[in-house]
Amino acid sequence: MNAIKPFRIDISDDILSDLKSRLVRTRWPDAELVDDWSQGAPLKWIQEICAYWADDYDWRAREAKLNRFEQFTTEIDGLDIHFIHARSKERSALPLIITHGWPGSIVEFQKVIAPLTDPAAHGGNPADAFHVICPSLPGFGFSAKPKTTGWGVDRIAAAWAKLMDRLGYARYGAQGGDWGSAVTTSLGAQDAGHCAGIHITLAFNAAPKVEGEPTAEEKRALAGLKHYVDLDSGYSKQQSTRPQTLGYGLTDSPSGQAAWILEKFWAWTDCNGHPENIFSKDELLDNVMLYWATQTATSSARLYWESFGKRRTTPVVQVPTGVAVFPREIITPVRRWMEPNFPDITHWSEMEKGGHFAAFEQPELFVRDVRKFFATVR
């Protein structure tokens, strides 16, 4: 039951041929009536992406690139959890579990795993080495889909604590963004006896607490919150209330799945107006493929249903906490708002560029900050 089994990504030829057939037969909507993204992902660009996906994108090469990392599955709490486990050659390496969110995946961490595990080969100090563990959230990618309700943030965090124990790591660090921030926060609160510290880029538990005239930091966060609520949160409302209804379209249509995900890579990245200013088509499609090939549009969306509108005790994290503030984050963290739930913030950094998908967008800045924070808790 506690077995750790080797895993390799191996998408069947049938899935790939079916994907191409669906892309070729896409029934397209009318074009948007504006010359920007205010009505959603533009038809011309999604058509370009899907044409590239059908004719030029080489999944087998991308699959091999992902398989350069050792991967495993293990059953925890009745569910098979998939994870990358990249061990460092440095004996003093600190175990570090890194958690993605939606609409991300383990693809986000491809550029940071090697610099974290082997800093000496990437201009760093060997003393900053990590053993890196990157699990796929339940219902995402190659982790199993929950068969019952109840797989919310706290249960996932408890599973991560069991995973680290099963791997033999009695002391470890944790890092996360998006849902990964929430899971990492819960992990730091639940497993303080083993978790040495957490590093996050988004503060789920920090409600606005404005007293008097807002500071510049608070104004930036409040503007981000207003934009999100007014113009950018429709996906969340749908996924948190009717994920099943949404899933029929996304599971049946690759163009629909791509548009649903890629719009957020426009909205949430520091890309100067277009996702391809920061990512290649291959990188964007690698991430989309982990939803399409595994048919996880619905199961991944259910994390919103499990989490929003449900009563949950707000955790207080007593372990040392590091925060990296990327300027194009959805809602930038505010230290004063965080302090009630994170009383031991020992590291705070304001990045010069970057957005929501920090490790994917700005791997060098991400690695530098993770090294800097965890150097204080080793």
Side-chain angles (χ1 to χ4, degrees):
M1 183 176 175
N2 293 344
I4 296 173
K5 304 173 184 176
F7 179 89
R8 285 182 66 79
I9 302 170
D10 185 17
I11 302 303
S12 73
D13 288 338
D14 287 346
I15 289 175
L16 298 180
S17 60
D18 175 73
L19 167 62
K20 183 164 185 174
S21 173
R22 289 170 186 267
L23 287 168
V24 169
R25 293 183 295 107
T26 299
R27 188 169 74 163
W28 296 103
D30 297 339
E32 63 283 357
L33 304 180
V34 292
D35 59 1
D36 56 24
W37 289 63
S38 61
Q39 291 188 343
L43 174 65
K44 182 180 178 181
W45 185 59
I46 296 299
Q47 287 179 323
E48 288 175 2
I49 285 283
C50 289
Y52 182 86
W53 198 1
D55 299 329
D56 300 304
Y57 178 74
D58 184 353
W59 168 250
R60 291 302 179 207
R62 307 305 291 181
E63 184 179 66
K65 190 175 180 183
L66 283 168
N67 279 330
R68 75 190 189 276
F69 303 114
E70 283 196 299
Q71 297 167 66
F72 304 88
T73 60
T74 190
E75 183 182 324
I76 301 176
D77 198 5
L79 204 66
D80 281 343
I81 299 298
H82 162 263
F83 61 99
I84 290 173
H85 189 191
R87 298 171 180 85
S88 174
K89 64 183 180 181
E90 303 295 339
R91 295 186 62 182
S92 62
L94 177 70
L96 178 67
I97 185 167
I98 304 180
T99 308
H100 67 86
W102 184 94
S105 67
I106 58 167
V107 165
E108 293 180 61
F109 306 123
Q110 285 194 81
K111 302 172 190 175
V112 302
I113 291 173
L116 289 172
T117 55
D118 190 5
H122 296 83
N125 186 335
D128 289 327
F130 297 91
H131 301 301
V132 177
I133 302 90
C134 298
S136 296
L137 289 166
F140 287 69
F142 302 104
S143 283
K145 302 170 186 177
K147 301 297 185 186
T148 61
T149 60
W151 275 95
V153 164
D154 294 331
R155 189 171 179 181
I156 295 169
W160 279 196
K162 291 177 184 176
L163 174 61
M164 297 304 277
D165 179 65
R166 189 169 298 174
L167 293 174
Y169 295 137
R171 187 172 186 271
Y172 63 88
Q175 199 286 328
D178 193 83
W179 284 113
S181 285
V183 171
T184 298
T185 296
S186 181
L187 182 57
Q190 289 188 47
D191 199 29
H194 301 98
C195 183
I198 67 168
H199 181 280
I200 57 176
T201 57
L202 187 63
F204 265 77
N205 298 314
K209 299 177 178 67
V210 180
E211 298 171 0
E213 179 67 18
T215 65
E217 181 186 40
E218 290 173 333
K219 286 179 180 178
R220 179 178 65 179
L222 290 169
L225 177 60
K226 178 173 171 46
H227 176 82
Y228 179 75
V229 171
D230 290 349
L231 298 171
D232 201 26
S233 59
Y235 78 97
S236 178
K237 192 67 173 177
Q238 180 67 23
Q239 295 193 157
S240 62
T241 57
R242 299 292 187 270
Q244 189 69 25
T245 303
L246 176 68
Y248 296 107
L250 299 188
T251 304
D252 190 56
S253 169
S255 62
Q257 178 70 92
W260 188 250
I261 287 175
L262 295 180
E263 182 207 292
K264 298 310 175 193
F265 279 81
W266 163 76
W268 297 346
T269 59
D270 194 359
C271 66
N272 195 28
H274 200 289
E276 287 186 60
N277 289 332
I278 191 75
F279 301 114
S280 68
K281 284 185 175 72
D282 284 338
E283 289 174 330
L284 292 168
L285 287 171
D286 288 347
N287 183 64
V288 174
M289 277 293 289
L290 262 64
Y291 288 81
W292 177 260
T294 58
Q295 296 181 228
T296 48
T298 313
S299 54
S300 62
R302 289 191 189 118
L303 181 53
Y304 288 76
W305 185 90
E306 291 283 359
S307 303
F308 292 147
K310 308 292 191 295
R311 292 195 174 192
R312 177 173 174 259
T313 302
T314 303
V316 175
V317 180
Q318 301 292 351
V319 301
T321 300
V323 182
V325 183
F326 288 84
R328 287 298 306 273
E329 179 58 271
I330 301 170
I331 303 167
T332 49
V334 176
R335 186 165 188 155
R336 187 153 65 96
W337 298 353
M338 289 182 66
E339 285 171 345
N341 296 102
F342 301 87
D344 194 16
I345 297 174
T346 59
H347 173 86
W348 187 275
S349 58
E350 295 273 347
M351 300 300 186
E352 62 264 33
K353 57 185 175 180
H356 184 65
F357 304 95
F360 205 11
E361 292 180 59
Q362 297 297 334
E364 292 181 6
L365 292 179
F366 176 89
V367 167
R368 185 178 70 192
D369 205 66
V370 168
R371 287 174 181 167
K372 188 174 181 180
F373 167 67
F374 283 105
T376 67
V377 300
R378 285 179 180 270

